[in-house]
Amino acid sequence: MKKIIVSAILLLLTMNTTKAQVYLDPQAPIEERVKDAISRMTTHEKIQVIHAQSKFTSAGVPRLGIRQLNMDDGPHGVREELEWNTWNPAKWTNDFIVAFPSLTCLAATWNRELSATYGNAVSEEFAFRGKDVMLGPGVNIQRTPLNGRAFEYMGEDPYLASEMVVPYIQSAQKNGVACCIKHFVLNDQETDRFAVNVNLSNRALHEIYLEPFRRAVVDAHVYTIMGSYNMWKGVHCCHNDELLNGILKRDWGFDGAVISDWGGTTDTWQAATGGLDIEMGSYTDGKLKESEFTYDDYYLARPFEKLIEEGKIPMEVLDEKVARVLRTIFRTAMNPDKAIGSQCSDAHYEACRTIGEEGIVLLKNVATSKKEHPLLPLDPTKYNKILVVGENATRSLTQGGGSSELKTLHDVSPLEALQALYGDKIDHAQGYTSGRAIYDQVDRIDPARQAALKTEALEKARNADLIIFIGGLNKNHRQDCENGDREGYALSFDQNELIGELAAIQQNMVVVMFGGNPYAMPWIDSVAALLHCWYLGSEAGNALVNILSGKVCPSGKLPVTFAKRYEHYPYVKYINESYPGVNKQVYYKEDIYVGYRGFEHDKVEPLFPFGFGLSYTTFKYGKPTVAGNTVSVDVTNTGEVEGKETIQFYIGFEKCPEDRPLKELKDFRKISLKPGETKKVSFTVGKEKLRYYSIASDKWETYDGPCKIYIGGSSANVQSIKL
Ligand code: GLC
């Protein structure tokens, strides 16, 4: 008998060690690889893979030859290498990269194909740097123009954000690099970001704030998702059971890994049972300070292992997390088809430039005297002295901003590109200073220096026959920067006064603004031309000059509403409770009426509406026609140059039993037209365009009543037709 038992154990042991190592077979179905790997892992090895082992890596299983996950920021390019255990730069010399335009710039292109180009290019740089998870893109909704991180996101409309984030993720993940869409969910301000609890209706939650994340999971099959610091229903989103186990995993079928924001994990039991799969950056308040800790002190490390060993939490809970981590590893780090990628290639600079060119929005362009053409595109033969004024003509806008900061190989500034094109016609005056881009404090500015810079600019302006002002926001704290919101809707550093005084000296003036958010424009009636450029990345100067010179015809459209006054934003009437909150409670009292939805609901006219953007040519829209549930319109280029137009398609529910916005974006097409060319554009009204989240039934419903269809080149310039 004894002999039989011994030989049975020996047989089992041999079987176990020699059983086919399915988990290492890249051709094997991923679920079999996952199951096989889990069956070989010890409890401690399972615990190791669900939390950080360094600032930006989570462990693999060395004994089994299962790779670790290398993660890195951010949405616009690969962050410089940091030290293994700290936020300090590692000072490597091979991690200079391309900074791609900000995601708000990408949204402003309204070009789905360019978004795929962007995702492919940026993920090739992550792959080349040996990264498996890129911590982006971000799709939090721009409900306030004060959000310090709006530049990392895709505007105020969930449909536009969804349509632009899906191609980015699909093409990025084709390279075997996981996207980590963030920050899930309701991280729509930086003020009190670690502690604020967001209160809102289920209707607003689903229709506005969850929708881009839902589309990323359901349509783009995003591999990982980052939990946000803030709370919803009083529980931190990094381990919120209803949000993660309920909505994300049960309802949407998400099969990837939930990664905490850095320092976003606050409790072992919640982290273990609330849907978190990889704990990162704990014992820091996200970015600022560390405490004495080891990675084994993490909430999902020793404390969780103890609960498993004591049987207080079943092994299945741990195995479920491990399965999601292994799925991510097999899709990336151990994916035999993972791209080698490339860094700073010509193709990446070209992608950067093209996205920038198509994201720049021409907001104003008039002639400065009756008989003339509009000021843009510039005719250099008309000017001898072109004065470039403004700190953003030379300031790096790729450094700073928080975790999306980048160490670039070669940026082309606006001034460099203007000098390259217009030679010694160009003169420059800084005009103002904004101090240093310090992560968590506003640098002190010497008033005397500010005054001297302004005086110099005004003096030079008197001898110029054209002024190009280049300013706006930047990546300083309390501008467009993580971990803080803007102090107000006005531009900083006395720019408004400077612009006003320059315009009084020279009416031939182009204003070029950088920034992730709208701002007040008290000088708008005094300037002939205005471009908003978001952040253009490494090719900023070339993209801008190609638009100013007319080499490229501007085609960008606003992904966010520019209000005349801050008070006009829909949430402001509800005062502090709606932003930035009272006692760490924020109430989204504007509900679904965010952005243009709110401006139209409140009947407030914006300065520049959602979807607005001018061209160097003009487009004529024919009368829309309806055939069945398809609406069509002819669009003609009635100008003298080839241009691209984004035809926007909105639907209004005319007889909905519940209050609805006047109209909502449901589709768009960006087309190119030669002078005189006409194209027909058609949109079909399928059921998916008639969904709304019902207050009464607390679930998605399909509207089946009469609709009004609105078609045009901006939310405020539409023709309507009944359907
Ligand atoms: C940050 C950010 C997040 C970033 C992470 C790692 O605090 O909120 O977007 O990816 O830490 O740097």
Side-chain angles (χ1 to χ4, degrees):
M1 183 57 182
K2 207 171 167 191
K3 266 194 178 169
I4 296 168
I5 293 167
V6 168
S7 50
I9 290 168
L10 279 174
L11 179 65
L12 268 175
L13 275 175
T14 350
M15 272 174 65
N16 194 15
T17 45
T18 54
K19 106 177 159 177
Q21 294 178 319
V22 173
Y23 73 97
L24 290 177
D25 175 2
Q27 306 315 321
I30 196 162
E31 294 314 314
E32 286 179 30
R33 295 182 71 184
V34 165
K35 196 158 155 271
D36 180 42
I38 288 178
S39 71
R40 298 166 187 269
M41 290 165 71
T42 65
T43 301
H44 187 64
E45 286 169 338
K46 293 177 182 176
I47 289 288
Q48 291 291 79
V49 304
I50 63 170
H51 64 78
Q53 67 173 0
S54 77
K55 191 55 85 185
F56 280 95
T57 69
S58 56
V61 188
R63 176 180 67 86
L64 295 175
I66 293 175
R67 287 277 311 283
Q68 69 189 39
L69 277 176
N70 298 327
M71 311 179 191
D72 216 339
D73 290 310
H76 311 140
V78 201
R79 190 173 187 175
E80 71 175 310
E81 206 63 29
L82 300 184
E83 287 178 346
W84 183 251
N85 240 347
T86 76
W87 291 110
N88 305 326
K91 297 191 174 55
W92 285 16
T93 53
N94 66 345
D95 57 352
F96 294 90
I97 46 83
V98 174
F100 290 89
S102 62
L103 291 194
T104 317
C105 181
L106 175 59
T109 70
W110 293 61
N111 186 328
R112 297 177 179 94
E113 292 69 36
L114 260 188
S115 178
T117 302
Y118 192 129
N120 174 62
V122 71
S123 67
E124 284 182 338
E125 300 236 341
F126 275 89
F128 193 77
R129 281 274 301 283
K131 308 298 179 183
D132 308 303
V133 182
M134 51 188 287
L135 302 174
V139 286
N140 293 98
I141 292 293
Q142 207 158 345
R143 71 182 281 265
T144 168
L146 305 185
N147 180 1
R149 290 188 86 170
F151 71 100
E152 292 185 54
Y153 307 143
M154 294 185 162
E156 70 189 32
D157 180 84
Y159 178 79
L160 177 63
S162 302
E163 287 294 303
M164 296 305 289
V165 83
V166 165
Y168 175 115
I169 294 170
Q170 287 170 330
S171 61
Q173 295 188 157
K174 275 203 191 92
N175 286 327
V177 175
C179 284
C180 183
I181 190 163
K182 67 188 186 182
H183 300 84
F184 191 60
V185 69
L186 300 169
N187 181 184
D188 308 308
Q189 66 186 59
E190 290 298 287
T191 304
D192 288 332
R193 65 172 175 160
F194 300 113
V196 78
N197 180 47
V198 179
N199 304 273
L200 79 168
S201 72
N202 281 346
R203 175 169 78 154
L205 175 72
H206 283 277
E207 288 194 14
I208 305 293
Y209 298 97
L210 285 176
E211 184 61 4
F213 292 97
R214 185 189 70 82
R215 290 285 309 281
V217 170
V218 172
D219 293 348
H221 192 208
V222 69
Y223 290 163
T224 69
I225 193 163
M226 186 186 291
S228 61
Y229 289 126
N230 55 280
M231 288 186 259
W232 172 56
K233 292 191 177 177
V235 179
H236 283 282
C237 291
C238 283
H239 34 64
N240 185 308
D241 179 53
E242 183 177 348
L243 177 68
L244 302 179
N245 289 327
I247 296 171
L248 176 65
K249 295 177 179 179
R250 182 197 61 226
D251 299 348
W252 296 351
F254 176 65
D255 72 353
V258 174
I259 300 173
S260 75
D261 199 341
W262 269 238
T265 310
T266 58
D267 175 276
T268 285
W269 188 268
Q270 284 189 22
T273 61
L276 179 62
D277 300 307
I278 306 180
E279 176 187 357
M280 298 301 292
S282 289
Y283 303 111
T284 70
D285 54 7
K287 292 207 36 75
L288 295 183
K289 61 182 183 300
E290 314 286 349
S291 62
E292 279 316 302
F293 65 94
T294 71
Y295 291 100
D296 288 335
D297 296 328
Y298 268 43
Y299 298 101
L300 285 184
R302 224 190 324 257
F304 180 33
E305 190 167 7
K306 192 162 171 290
L307 291 171
I308 293 285
E309 279 159 359
E310 292 167 354
K312 290 181 180 154
I313 292 185
M315 182 59 79
E316 294 73 58
V317 171
L318 174 55
D319 285 349
E320 166 64 12
K321 296 179 194 298
V322 175
R324 291 171 179 274
V325 177
L326 290 169
R327 227 168 260 137
T328 307
I329 293 171
F330 293 146
R331 287 169 171 159
T332 60
M334 293 176 71
N335 172 354
D337 302 324
K338 183 176 178 186
I340 301 289
S342 56
Q343 204 167 311
C344 302
S345 65
D346 292 348
H348 293 174
Y349 282 110
E350 186 186 340
C352 179
R353 188 173 55 254
T354 308
I355 294 157
E357 287 163 353
E358 287 214 19
I360 290 174
V361 184
L362 179 60
L363 293 172
K364 183 177 180 183
N365 187 28
V366 297
T368 49
S369 59
K370 291 266 180 296
K371 58 185 184 306
E372 296 284 305
H373 283 294
L375 193 61
L376 296 179
L378 293 177
D379 171 1
T381 62
K382 288 171 59 180
Y383 310 106
N384 295 310
K385 201 81 178 142
I386 303 173
L387 177 63
V388 177
V389 181
E391 193 187 55
N392 282 347
T394 55
R395 183 187 186 88
S396 164
L397 295 174
T398 50
Q399 294 166 6
S403 57
S404 63
E405 62 187 354
L406 295 169
K407 181 168 97 175
T408 53
L409 180 65
H410 176 58
D411 290 350
V412 180
S413 75
L415 182 62
E416 280 172 312
L418 285 162
Q419 287 166 331
L421 184 61
Y422 298 126
D424 55 14
K425 286 191 178 185
I426 295 288
D427 191 3
H428 176 240
Q430 185 174 332
Y432 68 90
T433 179
S434 65
R436 293 167 298 163
I438 306 169
Y439 174 65
D440 56 356
Q441 55 186 290
V442 177
D443 202 7
R444 205 189 75 72
I445 293 170
D446 171 6
R449 170 142 175 73
Q450 200 72 297
L453 288 170
K454 178 176 177 181
T455 304
E456 179 205 26
L458 295 176
E459 272 165 16
K460 288 193 170 185
R462 292 186 182 90
N463 305 318
D465 45 20
L466 172 71
I467 296 174
I468 303 176
F469 180 88
I470 304 183
L473 300 166
N474 62 29
K475 300 292 186 69
N476 291 8
H477 183 58
R478 314 287 282 168
Q479 294 282 312
D480 282 326
C481 182
E482 178 181 339
N483 203 41
D485 286 337
R486 291 166 69 195
E487 288 161 326
Y489 190 52
L491 289 174
S492 307
F493 323 120
D494 305 325
Q495 290 180 78
N496 287 335
E497 295 73 19
L498 176 56
I499 293 168
E501 292 185 45
L502 288 168
I505 295 170
Q506 175 53 260
Q507 58 174 359
N508 288 336
M509 181 160 162
V510 186
V511 172
V512 176
M513 288 298 188
F514 287 90
N517 267 310
Y519 39 87
M521 301 183 195
W523 33 262
I524 186 63
D525 294 335
S526 322
V527 302
L530 169 64
L531 289 165
H532 187 76
C533 301
W534 319 104
Y535 293 106
L536 299 172
S538 294
E539 281 287 288
N542 292 331
L544 173 62
V545 156
N546 286 346
I547 293 289
L548 287 172
S549 65
K551 183 178 177 189
V552 173
C553 181
S555 64
K557 300 274 187 182
L558 292 179
V560 62
T561 303
F562 275 62
K564 289 174 182 165
R565 301 162 50 82
Y566 173 67
E567 300 71 43
H568 293 166
Y569 284 98
Y571 66 92
V572 176
K573 56 183 163 301
Y574 303 108
I575 54 179
N576 286 359
E577 275 195 331
S578 71
Y579 175 84
V582 176
N583 302 326
K584 307 275 194 277
Q585 296 289 339
V586 177
Y587 298 85
Y588 287 10
K589 292 192 168 183
E590 78 277 13
D591 198 65
I592 56 174
Y593 297 102
V594 176
Y596 69 90
R597 288 173 170 81
F599 280 81
E600 293 177 349
H601 186 262
D602 299 342
K603 296 185 176 34
V604 170
E605 190 185 323
L607 179 60
F608 296 109
F610 174 83
F612 176 81
L614 298 173
S615 172
Y616 291 152
T617 187
T618 49
F619 300 99
K620 180 173 171 299
Y621 283 68
K623 286 211 70 52
T625 57
V626 170
N629 60 354
T630 298
V631 186
S632 302
V633 68
D634 285 341
V635 183
T636 304
N637 179 342
T638 50
E640 293 151 23
V641 295
E642 180 166 358
K644 293 182 177 179
E645 171 69 337
T646 299
I647 298 94
Q648 299 152 46
F649 173 79
Y650 299 82
I651 297 185
F653 298 161
E654 294 288 281
K655 293 246 184 305
C656 188
E658 300 179 15
D659 65 291
R660 299 299 310 166
L662 170 70
K663 62 179 188 286
E664 297 177 285
L665 183 69
K666 297 289 183 180
D667 209 334
F668 58 87
R669 295 279 191 295
K670 187 165 193 173
I671 60 172
S672 186
L673 290 170
K674 292 183 176 56
E677 185 179 13
T678 296
K679 284 180 181 170
K680 181 181 289 297
V681 178
S682 296
F683 302 95
T684 300
V685 182
K687 271 182 176 272
E688 77 289 347
K689 299 196 186 297
L690 299 173
R691 286 163 24 114
Y692 70 101
Y693 196 90
S694 165
I695 302 167
S697 64
D698 195 23
K699 62 183 174 62
W700 285 101
E701 302 287 0
T702 302
Y703 174 69
D704 59 4
C707 293
K708 190 175 265 190
I709 309 297
Y710 302 82
I711 295 188
S714 138
S715 63
N717 179 17
V718 287
Q719 296 179 81
S720 64
I721 186 166
K722 288 200 180 298
L723 188 68

